[in-house]
Every structure is written in structure tokens, then in C-alpha cells.
Amino acid sequence: MKEIMAVIRPNMTNATKDALEAAGFPAYTCTKVRGRGKKPFNFAGEITGNTRHRLLPKRLITLIAADDQADKMLLEMYEDLC
């Protein structure tokens, strides 16, 4: 068994859920989280000391897959997000 964790943008949650269900993986856990990626983000053109490190809303999707199904699950999620 493998645990797969993916952090995605909130606007991609429904599309990811639909792709996983269509591929035969309907069970997952989704949690609201906050974080940042590598890219700098300009918050309305005003970067001050407090806003420079502001965290953005994200979704953490956690799935459990059998060893032979983990690669298929990752491919479905990746194709959906790209």
C-alpha cells in the first residue's frame, strides 16, 4: 500500500475529484491547507514586510492505493492538473 499526497490549487479540486472517480478511485481525503510554492506572488502590487510571506489557500488530497495502482493514480492526477 502507498499513501499519495498532493497539494493543489482550490480551483482544481473538483476537476481532480472527477478525474479520479472516472479512473476508478473514488475514495480520498481533502483538507484545506495554506502554503506557498517556489514562485513569488505579487499581492495587488503591494509587497510589504507582512504580505511578502503570506500563505495562499491550497487543498491537500490524500489517497491510499495498492502498489500496482499507485502509478495509474498519479498519472490520472497529473494529466488532470496539466
Side-chain angles (χ1 to χ4, degrees):
M1 298 299 278
K2 293 185 179 181
E3 179 182 25
I4 299 170
M5 299 172 75
V7 178
I8 61 173
R9 294 187 310 261
N11 63 333
M12 296 302 294
T13 304
N14 288 334
T16 302
K17 177 189 75 165
D18 294 341
L20 288 170
E21 287 179 2
F25 304 107
Y28 70 94
T29 301
C30 185
T31 308
K32 291 181 181 181
V33 295
R34 298 181 67 79
R36 298 239 343 194
K38 293 179 186 177
K39 287 175 83 173
F41 188 79
N42 188 353
F43 295 96
E46 300 176 21
I47 301 240
T48 62
N50 287 340
T51 59
R52 171 166 273 156
H53 300 291
R54 220 162 54 168
L55 301 176
L56 302 173
K58 305 285 182 183
R59 297 295 182 266
L60 173 66
I61 295 181
T62 306
L63 307 125
I64 303 295
D67 291 336
D68 59 339
Q69 294 181 334
D71 291 336
K72 180 182 176 188
M73 188 180 292
L74 286 171
L75 286 174
E76 289 296 328
M77 289 178 67
Y78 182 75
E79 288 175 0
D80 176 60
L81 295 173
C82 292

